[in-house]
Amino acid sequence: RVEEVSAYSDTPTVTTRAFWQSGEAHRLLQGEIAIDCSVRLLHGQADPDVPWHHSLHLAERLRSADVQTLLVKQGDHRLSRESDIALLLATVAAMPEPR
């Protein structure tokens, strides 16, 4: 069990061995990911926790032909500014209907 200070909460972020092992068992980015629906990935380029290029790598792995990656230059990990939330809502509203 590892506890780390959280930038997002007063309580620490806890990582357990079971959590780590579960993540290792479910790694998907080595091959094609069998998702065929429309996908929109929004990622802040100022995210200190997850590098934005991970979204580009994920987009490459998705089987769907309808994948768009939107990078928000000043967006952080939460994309919680009013402009970020407006973009999220507009993106969801513009999603095509499922087939």
Side-chain angles (χ1 to χ4, degrees):
R1 174 182 170 106
V2 175
E3 293 186 16
E4 299 176 284
V5 174
S6 171
Y8 306 107
S9 172
D10 292 335
T11 59
T13 300
V14 176
T15 304
T16 64
R17 176 178 289 172
F19 175 79
W20 187 264
Q21 290 171 334
S22 172
E24 287 292 312
H26 293 95
R27 295 174 68 175
L28 297 175
L29 293 176
Q30 283 69 24
E32 181 181 74
I33 301 172
I35 292 180
D36 296 308
C37 61
S38 299
V39 177
R40 301 297 178 266
L41 303 169
L42 283 77
H43 204 128
Q45 287 186 286
D47 183 341
D49 300 306
V50 181
W52 57 266
H53 60 84
H54 287 336
S55 285
L56 300 178
H57 185 64
L58 173 60
E60 289 176 349
R61 297 289 188 221
L62 294 170
R63 184 169 63 195
S64 174
D66 184 13
V67 177
Q68 295 179 17
T69 304
L70 293 95
L71 299 175
V72 181
K73 187 170 185 175
Q74 297 299 320
D76 63 8
H77 185 68
R78 291 183 172 195
L79 291 177
S80 59
R81 299 173 301 174
E82 284 187 35
S83 59
D84 300 332
I85 293 169
L87 175 61
L88 290 163
L89 292 172
T91 302
V92 170
M95 288 290 293
E97 291 292 324
R99 297 178 196 180

